[in-house]
Amino acid sequence: MSLFKAREWWSAVLGEGEEFDQGCLCIGDVDNSGTGLDKVVVGSYIGMLRIFSPHVSKSGEGGSADANLLEVQLQNAIIQVEVGKFVSCSELLHLAVLHPRKLSVYSVSGTAGNVEHGSQYQLKLVYQHNLQRTACNMTYGTFGGVTGHHSLCIQSMDGMLMFFEQDSYSFGRFLPGFLLPGPLVYNPRTDSFLTVSSARQLESYKYETLAVATEAESRQDPDLPVKTGGKRLMPDWVFVLGEQALDLSVPSFSHSSSSIFILGERNLYCVRDNGQMRFMKKLEFNPSCFMPYSTVTDGTTSMLLGNHTNMLLVYQDVTLKWVAQLSFVPVAIRVANFLELKGLVVSLSSDGHLLCSYMGTDPTFFSMPKVDAREADYEQMDAEMKKLQKIIREATRTQDILPKADSETDLIVTAAVSSSMDNPSRALIQDINGLPVPSVSVQVKVKASCVVQSSKLTVGVQPPLAVTQDQFVLDPMGVGSSTVVAFSAFLNGRYPPADLTGDITVSYSSPTGVPRVLQSRFSLPLALVCAPSSPAKTTKFKITVDTNQPPVDLKSIFPACSAKSEDKDGNSLAFQFLSGASVTVLASKTSQRYRIQSDSFEDMWLVVKELVQRFDQHFSKVGVKDFKKSFSGPLPLQEYFLCVDHHFQLRVNAQQYQDLLSERAVQFRAIQRRLLTRFKDKTPAPLQNLDTLLDATYSQVMALAEAAEENQVLLGEAFVRLQSATHLLVLLLSLWQGLTSDQTVILEATLLPLLQDTPQLGWEESCDAAVSHLLRSCLSRSPKDQATSLAQAGGPVLGLPRDTTRLKKHITLLCDRIGKGGRLTLASEANVQVPVQVQSLAAPGGVEPIAEVAADEEELELLQEATKFIKKKQPHKKVKKDKDSREKMDMSEEPSEATVKEVAGGAEEPVKEESKKDPHKEARDPREEVKKDFKKESSFSKEKKEKEEKEASKEPWDKKVSMKSSAKVKEKKKEPEAGEG
């Protein structure tokens, strides 16, 4: 509770629904009691006149009722009330009441009562004037220097000043350039009237000037020319304010006799009698009323000023001396003297709150209780300080970049996958290898907790999976409403996906207009991409998973596959993928081992993942808390590297196709220019087989484009298979070393840094950079090496490597370091202390990247260590012989001219032969020659395809594309010369 408040001494509430303004309050001894004590006169806009004599009631009850001397209902609205000597034959004070069309002067008299009710007061009308114009405000004073009584001046709404001397009307004058009425006040020192015009300037008119000016009644329009005698009315002086004035005041006390105060909307002005500014105060609030009053210091003036924030401020000139809080916005302030107190502040609000208050502070009797003196427990304080420091350190180290999401979301997204397949299936491909392609329906429910407009839902699945509809525009939702959308997912390719999870993204705008995105995830069943089949006895790849619990019946783990399984004991299950590969799961009868085997290494990933997840769910339902699973066999790195080599070879092929297409396009445009030059020539020259060369080049461009498109499709399939193989390798590594979930996430981000292969950035260079970073940071051999690597600058720009040898070394080394106890963490980099000799390298410009040769030497050393760790099996003799023979072929084989001509499409040889023949025989049958060339090309491609299939049957993906681009380029550079000749 603030001390600086206006202390209430007496108050009253004047009626209900009444309105008051600044002219409705005046102070004076209106009943002529002779005691010099003031009475409070209040008039309202509904015509109610009240007179109060405030005092504190001794009984404490009925204070406002006892103070009410008189309450009269007049017929018209009361605009202004004033107390003065308005009767010529009397020295007593009378009450002047201004109505819109009437001016009334009353006498207030009191008669002493003979009973306890007290004195009785009466209101008698002395005289009144009916006004021809609607009144706005009035002022009074000793106009013209006449003493002993007061005259009245009324300003009308149309700018006419009407002067009255007691009960007689004197004259009226129009103000020049009038638009709207402003405040009006009389200055007795200079016998002049002050007002603020609609031009926002203070104007002063002497009474003498007004008296001798043109008569107002003689002309209706002040702008018309003067027809009668008199002077044109002009102000004596003008002071430009620049804003509308709320009130004017001319104090009558002697020490500030030359001051005129103007309250503006934003400023407070003080002007001398001659129109010169004395001072100005810029206000930082909206004022409502003011009242200058006498001060104890000579040469200064004190003011009471009310504003629209219920504050009462006391200024001494421009200095703020006191601030008091009111309970309402005052519209009129006066200073009055009553019996008990002198100089009370009387304030009135627009709705009729009348308050007599004083300013001061009430003493407070609250004292702070004494705090019990106790000794500080320094051990407890030290422990608390360490705890707080630890919290601060963790908060500053792991500070999130993205803002944390709100605990209460605007939308709740729930995805439900059907337990059974759709009947009929909604897949685009009806069957693959004789097996029908199923589809499963997914329902997504979006529930809103607030009003959501313009929301969109997007569904994303991993290739080659597809959905019937991937984008939905949701209807506007209210609070508590929900929307359900449905779609079906199915396999849309000839190979299994790397992940069966899908993402749902809902983008919407919050009620405040902030765009937001909400994500959810759902999992598709394994039956969507495979079907039960009979187990295979002999397979190429095998993986064994150990557990610490007794063997489980596989039928209970996979109930959907048990119905079609031929094994009655539940020890074996088989999954036939729609793409062709079969995966068999075998459970040992005596030990706690499970074997997963297949002819395709990467196709085992989905089955192994599903098996591990269902084991966790099964044993958690049973109540086993210490269930553990592990992998003890050697890591299948050689099988994994086959997938890497296959993917890399397809990337190399794509680059070669791109280069060949560029060369053929250049050749095609050159031939076109030659032909265009020949056709534009006025004297036609022989074409010299340029048309045949153009047709052959066009056919080569089309063949290369089709081959590039086919290679791009194979590259997408190879990348998905590589993802599956990488996921399987990460899972085996985590089972082998018992990695935590955080370490597994780091390993997945390292080996799978890309979601999609692009020509600019591929998987090999991205994975190599990530693995190299781990080997130099958290998996380095010593903190010194780690600090050195942290002080080095960034590596070169990533690009397609020459081969995969370096990547294989790094992945092998990564597995070696993890197997020897290395732990994957990203926070360890911040804990490494950089040695002094390395700190000098970290200075700007003092670091150079490590040479590639040195890095290769270090990796060769580490590779020798890694060979001790990996248990390799001896390859089959036949495979080894094939591999040796292929290496010898690659080293000794030189591309012959016939091979170059066949690869180029068979167009070069006919051109050379025909150039030697008779030019008249050129156009005989070029189409037959082109057909022969296409027959040669098709036969060559057929033989090549059969050869690749034979090699793929021996050892998948372990084949090489012969690099013959250099010979082809030389041959192509000679072709335009042959054409010219």
Side-chain angles (χ1 to χ4, degrees):
M1 183 176 181
S2 174
L3 296 175
F4 301 96
K5 287 193 174 183
R7 305 300 166 185
E8 179 181 336
W9 180 73
W10 178 88
S11 65
V13 178
L14 310 180
E16 294 181 0
E18 299 185 36
E19 295 183 6
F20 304 84
D21 206 348
Q22 60 183 4
C24 299
L25 174 67
C26 72
I27 303 296
D29 189 11
V30 68
D31 59 344
N32 299 288
S33 62
T35 58
L37 301 179
D38 294 328
K39 309 297 186 297
V40 180
V41 183
V42 182
S44 68
Y45 281 167
I46 67 170
M48 188 68 69
L49 180 68
R50 298 179 179 88
I51 301 176
F52 295 95
S53 177
H55 63 274
V56 178
S57 177
K58 296 180 181 178
S59 62
E61 298 179 357
S64 60
D66 295 343
N68 194 349
L69 304 182
L70 186 64
E71 185 170 344
V72 181
Q73 174 66 54
L74 302 180
Q75 297 301 322
N76 300 310
I78 299 174
I79 299 176
Q80 191 172 348
V81 290
E82 297 290 348
V83 177
K85 299 176 182 180
F86 302 129
V87 180
S88 59
C89 58
S90 174
E91 293 290 333
L92 300 178
L93 296 176
H94 291 75
L95 177 64
V97 180
L98 179 63
H99 301 287
R101 287 280 184 167
K102 186 191 296 183
L103 173 64
S104 303
V105 176
Y106 298 93
S107 66
V108 180
S109 60
T111 304
N114 297 325
V115 292
E116 62 181 1
H117 293 297
S119 303
Q120 297 178 1
Y121 288 84
Q122 295 179 353
L123 185 68
K124 294 182 181 180
L125 178 64
V126 179
Y127 63 88
Q128 69 179 10
H129 295 284
N130 293 322
L131 307 178
Q132 299 298 322
R133 301 176 183 276
T134 304
C136 177
N137 51 20
M138 70 175 177
T139 184
Y140 70 95
T142 57
F143 302 162
V146 179
T147 59
H149 63 271
H150 294 151
S151 301
L152 290 166
C153 176
I154 300 174
Q155 181 180 206
S156 66
M157 295 296 292
D158 57 354
M160 182 178 178
L161 298 183
M162 296 172 284
F163 294 89
F164 297 90
E165 291 186 5
Q166 290 80 43
D167 55 353
S168 63
Y169 171 71
S170 298
F171 59 90
R173 300 290 183 266
F174 276 108
L175 295 175
F178 180 84
L179 182 62
L180 293 173
L184 180 69
V185 70
Y186 174 69
N187 187 1
R189 296 185 296 271
T190 59
D191 192 23
S192 59
F193 293 87
L194 301 168
T195 185
V196 177
S197 67
S198 57
R200 296 185 176 182
Q201 57 188 9
L202 178 65
E203 299 177 353
S204 174
Y205 298 92
K206 284 188 176 295
Y207 180 74
E208 181 182 359
T209 306
L210 292 169
V212 300
T214 306
E215 181 66 28
E217 281 75 6
S218 63
R219 56 195 181 100
Q220 297 296 327
D221 192 351
D223 296 331
L224 293 177
V226 181
K227 296 181 180 179
T228 59
K231 296 181 179 180
R232 185 178 181 86
L233 184 59
M234 295 292 292
D236 296 328
W237 52 265
V238 174
F239 178 77
V240 179
L241 297 176
E243 61 178 325
Q244 188 59 39
L246 302 179
D247 200 1
L248 295 176
S249 179
V250 179
S252 59
F253 32 90
S254 59
H255 56 265
S256 61
S257 58
S258 63
S259 297
I260 302 169
F261 292 92
I262 307 101
L263 178 64
E265 296 175 342
R266 288 293 180 183
N267 300 279
L268 177 66
Y269 304 91
C270 180
V271 183
R272 300 185 187 275
D273 290 341
N274 56 2
Q276 295 179 356
M277 178 183 287
R278 184 180 168 201
F279 62 81
M280 184 186 77
K281 170 69 176 177
K282 184 175 179 59
L283 305 177
E284 298 179 355
F285 47 81
N286 293 328
S288 60
C289 58
F290 83 133
M291 172 66 187
Y293 68 96
S294 60
T295 183
V296 296
T297 306
D298 292 335
T300 61
T301 304
S302 297
M303 279 172 293
L304 293 173
L305 199 150
N307 62 11
H308 285 274
T309 57
N310 303 351
M311 303 297 292
L312 183 63
L313 301 95
V314 181
Y315 282 93
Q316 185 173 357
D317 284 346
V318 295
T319 306
L320 182 63
K321 292 295 186 180
W322 195 264
V323 178
Q325 180 78 40
L326 294 174
S327 59
F328 52 82
V329 178
V331 295
I333 297 176
R334 301 290 185 268
V335 178
N337 297 324
F338 299 116
L339 180 62
E340 290 84 357
L341 290 173
K342 306 294 182 182
L344 281 175
V345 179
V346 182
S347 53
L348 176 67
S349 69
S350 60
D351 55 354
H353 284 76
L354 184 64
L355 174 66
C356 295
S357 59
Y358 59 92
M359 287 175 286
T361 57
D362 290 341
T364 177
F365 299 100
F366 175 75
S367 60
M368 291 292 293
K370 293 183 179 180
V371 182
D372 297 336
R374 55 185 178 183
E375 296 182 359
D377 189 355
Y378 292 103
E379 294 182 357
Q380 183 180 0
M381 292 172 60
D382 191 19
E384 186 178 0
M385 180 63 72
K386 290 181 179 179
K387 182 180 178 181
L388 294 175
Q389 287 178 349
K390 183 179 179 182
I391 294 174
I392 293 172
R393 194 182 304 113
E394 291 178 355
T396 54
R397 179 183 301 172
T398 60
Q399 188 175 7
D400 294 336
I401 299 175
L402 298 176
K404 295 184 178 179
D406 299 336
S407 58
E408 297 182 0
T409 57
D410 300 332
L411 292 179
I412 299 176
V413 181
T414 306
V417 182
S418 177
S419 58
S420 60
M421 297 295 154
D422 296 339
N423 190 15
S425 176
R426 304 180 64 183
L428 298 180
I429 303 176
Q430 296 300 323
D431 62 283
I432 300 177
N433 298 332
L435 297 175
V437 179
S439 67
V440 64
S441 61
V442 182
Q443 282 190 349
V444 181
K445 183 179 181 182
V446 182
K447 187 176 181 181
S449 59
C450 66
V451 179
V452 177
Q453 300 285 343
S454 64
S455 54
K456 296 180 181 179
L457 187 144
T458 306
V459 182
V461 291
Q462 298 292 331
L465 295 176
V467 293
T468 54
Q469 186 176 354
D470 58 351
Q471 290 185 357
F472 300 87
V473 178
L474 306 181
D475 296 332
M477 292 181 287
V479 179
S481 63
S482 60
T483 303
V484 178
V485 297
F487 57 89
S488 295
F490 51 88
L491 185 66
N492 195 27
R494 303 282 175 174
Y495 54 96
D499 197 354
L500 289 175
T501 60
D503 295 323
I504 298 173
T505 304
V506 180
S507 60
Y508 64 99
S509 297
S510 65
T512 58
V514 179
R516 292 184 177 179
V517 176
L518 188 65
Q519 291 182 338
S520 180
R521 179 164 288 188
F522 62 93
S523 297
L524 297 173
L526 183 63
L528 192 66
V529 295
C530 64
S533 67
S534 57
K537 296 181 180 179
T538 58
T539 55
K540 189 174 182 181
F541 304 104
K542 299 177 182 179
I543 292 174
T544 303
V545 178
D546 298 338
T547 61
N548 61 347
Q549 296 296 327
V552 183
D553 187 4
L554 294 179
K555 293 182 180 180
S556 61
I557 301 296
F558 295 93
C561 302
S562 60
K564 300 181 180 180
S565 177
E566 300 176 357
D567 187 9
K568 298 180 180 180
D569 298 334
N571 296 330
S572 63
L573 283 177
F575 302 91
Q576 178 66 44
F577 279 93
L578 301 180
S579 58
S582 178
V583 180
T584 304
V585 181
L586 302 174
S588 176
K589 298 180 181 180
T590 57
S591 62
Q592 304 165 356
R593 293 186 175 184
Y594 302 88
R595 174 175 290 178
I596 302 94
Q597 56 188 16
S598 174
D599 288 332
S600 176
F601 173 72
E602 63 275 4
D603 288 347
M604 291 190 293
W605 151 241
L606 290 178
V607 178
V608 175
K609 177 186 177 183
E610 192 75 16
L611 183 67
V612 170
Q613 288 180 352
R614 298 203 179 194
F615 275 162
D616 293 336
Q617 295 174 1
H618 172 75
F619 287 108
S620 63
K621 288 180 182 179
V622 175
V624 178
K625 297 182 180 179
D626 59 344
F627 172 69
K628 293 182 180 179
K629 48 194 178 298
S630 60
F631 172 75
S632 58
L635 290 177
L637 289 181
Q638 297 301 325
E639 294 83 350
Y640 175 68
F641 289 155
L642 294 177
C643 299
V644 175
D645 291 336
H646 178 58
H647 176 262
F648 178 75
Q649 190 59 50
L650 289 175
R651 286 191 63 194
V652 172
N653 293 348
Q655 186 64 37
Q656 290 178 359
Y657 283 129
Q658 186 70 25
D659 297 340
L660 287 174
L661 270 173
S662 300
E663 294 171 3
R664 289 295 181 268
V666 172
Q667 177 179 332
F668 188 75
R669 288 192 295 271
I671 298 172
Q672 279 184 324
R673 286 195 297 270
R674 295 285 181 113
L675 281 174
L676 188 61
T677 305
R678 298 286 178 92
F679 290 147
K680 284 184 177 181
D681 196 359
K682 292 183 179 180
T683 57
L687 296 180
Q688 296 179 350
N689 296 324
L690 285 178
D691 53 346
T692 307
L693 188 60
L694 183 68
D695 293 338
T697 307
Y698 175 75
S699 63
Q700 292 174 20
V701 169
M702 297 303 297
L704 286 172
E706 293 174 359
E709 288 182 358
E710 183 181 355
N711 185 82
Q712 192 65 30
V713 174
L714 295 177
L715 182 60
E717 177 182 350
F719 183 67
V720 174
R721 291 183 180 275
L722 180 61
Q723 282 182 311
S724 301
T726 307
H727 279 300
L728 181 58
L729 180 65
V730 171
L731 177 61
L732 295 180
L733 271 171
S734 62
L735 294 178
W736 179 43
Q737 289 298 320
L739 301 179
T740 62
S741 59
D742 295 338
Q743 295 174 347
T744 306
V745 168
I746 295 174
L747 191 59
E748 284 183 353
T750 303
L751 296 178
L752 284 174
L754 297 178
L755 296 177
Q756 186 180 1
D757 247 347
T758 59
Q760 292 79 18
L761 185 64
W763 177 84
E764 283 80 9
E765 54 266 29
S766 303
C767 181
D768 191 14
V771 173
S772 301
H773 176 72
L774 288 183
L775 293 176
R776 293 175 181 175
S777 56
C778 61
L779 295 180
S780 60
R781 288 178 295 181
S782 64
K784 181 179 178 182
D785 297 340
Q786 180 178 352
T788 306
S789 65
L790 291 175
Q792 291 173 357
V797 179
L798 298 183
L800 182 66
R802 293 171 300 195
D803 51 25
T804 58
T805 305
R806 180 187 176 90
L807 176 61
K808 294 177 184 178
K809 291 178 184 178
H810 286 170
I811 294 178
T812 306
L813 192 58
L814 175 72
C815 299
D816 182 23
R817 296 277 175 86
I818 295 176
K820 290 182 179 179
R823 285 296 172 257
L824 300 170
T825 175
L826 299 179
S828 62
E829 299 173 3
N831 301 328
V832 176
Q833 296 182 358
V834 181
V836 179
Q837 60 270 21
V838 179
Q839 291 180 2
S840 60
L841 294 176
V847 178
E848 294 183 359
I850 298 176
E852 196 70 30
V853 179
D856 289 341
E857 291 176 358
E858 179 186 357
E859 287 158 8
L860 286 173
E861 282 182 14
L862 298 172
L863 185 61
Q864 292 175 0
E865 298 177 7
T867 52
K868 302 176 183 177
F869 142 73
I870 299 177
K871 300 176 182 178
K872 296 183 180 178
K873 294 182 179 180
Q874 292 294 331
H876 199 271
K877 292 182 179 180
K878 188 177 181 182
V879 175
K880 192 172 182 181
K881 289 178 181 177
D882 293 341
K883 188 176 180 182
D884 295 338
S885 62
R886 279 197 305 273
E887 288 179 356
K888 290 177 181 178
M889 246 173 76
D890 292 339
M891 295 297 293
S892 60
E893 188 179 70
E894 283 293 336
S896 60
E897 291 184 4
T899 308
V900 174
K901 291 174 184 177
E902 286 175 355
V903 172
E908 288 83 349
E909 189 175 349
V911 170
K912 290 182 180 180
E913 290 176 359
E914 291 177 7
S915 61
K916 300 176 183 178
K917 294 179 182 179
D918 190 5
H920 297 287
K921 298 179 182 180
E922 286 179 3
R924 188 171 50 187
D925 51 354
R927 296 180 183 177
E928 296 180 1
E929 297 294 336
V930 174
K931 287 180 182 179
K932 291 179 182 179
D933 295 339
F934 273 113
K935 286 180 182 179
K936 290 181 181 179
E937 184 179 356
S938 60
S939 62
F940 167 74
S941 60
K942 195 172 183 181
E943 292 174 2
K944 186 179 179 182
K945 189 173 183 182
E946 290 176 358
K947 186 179 180 182
E948 288 179 354
E949 287 178 356
K950 288 180 182 180
E951 290 182 357
S953 63
K954 294 178 182 178
E955 189 172 355
W957 311 317
D958 194 8
K959 52 190 177 181
K960 298 183 180 179
V961 176
S962 57
M963 305 291 289
K964 303 174 183 178
S965 60
S966 60
K968 293 176 187 176
V969 171
K970 293 178 182 177
E971 203 63 31
K972 291 161 194 167
K973 289 181 179 178
K974 296 178 181 179
E975 288 172 6
E977 297 176 2
E980 290 174 9

